[in-house]
Amino acid sequence: LSTWPTVPCWGDGKPTERRTRVHQEEPLSALRHDDKQNFDYDHDAFLGQDEAKAFDRLSPDESKRRLSIIVDRIDSNKDDFVSEDELRLWIEAIQSRHMFEDVEHQWSEFDLNQDGLISWDEYRNVTYGSYLDGPLTETEYNYTHMMARDERRFKVANRDGNLNADRQEFMAFLHPENHEYMKQVVVQETMEDIDKNGDGFIDLKEYIGNKSTNGLEEPEWVASERQQFSEFRDKNQDGKMDREETLDWILPADYDHAVAEAKHLLYESDSNKDGRLTKEEILNKFDLFVGSQVTNYGEALLRHDEF
């Protein structure tokens, strides 16, 4: 399960859609990673869905030519090899750029007085104004509750406490899963969504999602989730997950998407198994790298004036 950060719709002041049950660090792709089927995960992970489709229009020769230029940029120490660490650093830089671009894309919508900051009042009025001006119906989602959650997150993101967010603070608000100091509010929001009985814990039924089998045989996925809960989630075996166990579930300290993808690319491309990649090795596996984050979400490979 995954979720996307608070991203309002433009123009009509409509708030973000309801959040899903679990906040998790943003994955490199929403697709299943199965290289036996295709390399779509790697392409999406390094490019994004739309850019990956655009890259499909390039010929293999043109793909290799442009990828060759990217390899030179990844090789930061200019030793003619690409190490796992250089791959990781590049992927992390592109992840950061994606978040910066998200902030820039939304900035003018909220910085109404153009003072270089976004105040809570500005964000609230743009996002929730039209809903708060009129009466809420019984069937309408409780935007007042959502606004309170957003205000709490905004205050945590705003480290100096003045309720005027600069770009870094607004980025933390939009992408809390990727900021260390936002982790506790991420856990709190997740637990509020899943802890239906309000006891401050997530039990097995809440973890699975209160899905009813209507007397039928339990689906395989439910049995799998039971096992996951018992063996990996409920670490102290008390039948429920506390805040620390929930944090370890949604934002595990021992897993990093960029590190995992760098290791994967190295393993798949390192034909002589010396623990580093030559340009030739990368180009020989260009179909694996096409559209990856090493190509800067397609901008570097698709911007003609750079090639």
Side-chain angles (χ1 to χ4, degrees):
L1 295 175
S2 61
T3 188
W4 295 102
T6 304
V7 179
C9 299
W10 322 136
D12 60 359
K14 182 179 179 181
T16 178
E17 295 182 2
R18 303 186 203 185
R19 297 174 179 81
T20 51
R21 296 172 67 240
V22 183
H23 284 288
Q24 290 180 318
E25 183 181 3
E26 294 176 31
L28 301 179
S29 173
L31 300 175
R32 184 168 177 242
H33 198 176
D34 185 358
D35 286 352
K36 293 180 180 179
Q37 297 293 324
N38 52 57
F39 297 131
D40 288 349
Y41 175 95
D42 301 292
H43 297 173
D44 277 6
F46 285 99
L47 183 65
Q49 183 177 357
D50 292 338
E51 289 82 358
K53 291 179 181 178
F55 196 87
D56 286 341
R57 296 193 293 268
L58 295 176
S59 69
D61 286 344
E62 181 65 8
S63 298
K64 291 180 180 180
R65 187 185 74 83
R66 298 187 183 191
L67 184 56
S68 175
I69 298 173
I70 298 300
V71 173
D72 292 337
R73 296 173 184 167
I74 299 173
D75 178 20
S76 57
N77 65 2
K78 305 304 177 186
D79 66 349
D80 294 326
F81 294 97
V82 171
S83 67
E84 178 185 315
D85 198 50
E86 285 173 325
L87 277 174
R88 175 187 62 81
L89 289 172
W90 188 272
I91 293 168
E92 290 176 346
I94 300 309
Q95 286 180 301
S96 295
R97 178 177 290 189
H98 166 66
M99 292 187 290
F100 275 113
E101 290 174 347
D102 187 28
V103 168
E104 291 303 316
H105 176 70
Q106 300 189 43
W107 190 263
S108 62
E109 299 290 333
F110 296 103
D111 184 15
L112 300 179
N113 63 6
Q114 299 182 0
D115 66 346
L117 299 169
I118 294 175
S119 69
W120 166 248
D121 287 340
E122 286 175 320
Y123 181 84
R124 180 193 59 200
N125 291 338
V126 171
T127 307
Y128 296 101
S130 61
Y131 286 87
L132 298 179
D133 289 342
L136 292 175
T137 65
E138 292 184 3
T139 58
E140 189 172 21
Y141 183 65
N142 188 346
Y143 289 111
T144 302
H145 173 69
M146 181 182 284
M147 184 179 69
R149 282 172 55 129
D150 275 353
E151 183 176 13
R152 180 180 63 198
R153 186 197 287 191
F154 195 93
K155 288 179 177 178
V156 175
N158 190 242
R159 304 182 86 164
D160 54 17
N162 62 10
L163 288 186
N164 290 302
D166 59 23
R167 279 170 164 79
Q168 286 287 346
E169 291 168 333
F170 194 58
M171 183 191 301
F173 172 72
L174 294 178
H175 300 269
E177 299 85 355
N178 296 89
H179 292 77
E180 182 71 28
Y181 77 101
M182 297 293 291
K183 284 187 175 181
Q184 288 306 315
V185 77
V186 170
V187 172
Q188 187 168 357
E189 290 178 7
T190 300
M191 295 195 74
E192 286 172 353
D193 288 340
I194 303 178
D195 176 24
K196 299 304 182 184
N197 63 12
D199 66 351
F201 298 93
I202 297 175
D203 60 31
L204 176 60
K205 187 175 182 181
E206 291 166 334
Y207 173 80
I208 292 176
N210 293 313
K211 298 290 192 302
S212 173
T213 60
N214 295 321
L216 302 176
E217 184 179 352
E218 184 175 84
E220 182 177 341
W221 72 265
V222 173
S224 175
E225 288 301 317
R226 286 182 185 276
Q227 183 178 2
Q228 286 285 321
F229 185 89
S230 175
E231 296 183 7
F232 301 107
R233 310 302 179 210
D234 180 20
K235 297 184 182 301
N236 62 6
Q237 297 295 302
D238 65 352
K240 55 192 177 184
M241 292 164 55
D242 58 24
R243 291 179 67 93
E244 288 304 314
E245 289 168 328
T246 301
L247 173 61
D248 192 56
W249 169 36
I250 60 178
L251 298 171
D254 60 352
Y255 185 83
D256 183 287
H257 290 288
V259 171
E261 181 66 6
K263 288 182 179 295
H264 168 66
L265 292 175
L266 179 65
Y267 177 81
E268 294 295 334
S269 308
D270 185 15
S271 57
N272 65 1
K273 302 305 178 184
D274 66 349
R276 57 187 183 176
L277 299 178
T278 63
K279 180 181 289 189
E280 181 181 7
E281 287 175 320
I282 292 175
L283 295 182
N284 284 341
K285 296 286 290 188
F286 82 97
D287 54 337
L288 174 65
F289 284 88
V290 161
S292 67
Q293 280 189 28
V294 296
T295 66
N296 193 21
Y297 282 96
E299 292 180 12
L301 286 177
L302 298 176
R303 191 180 297 139
H304 293 282
D305 59 358
E306 293 189 4
F307 298 93

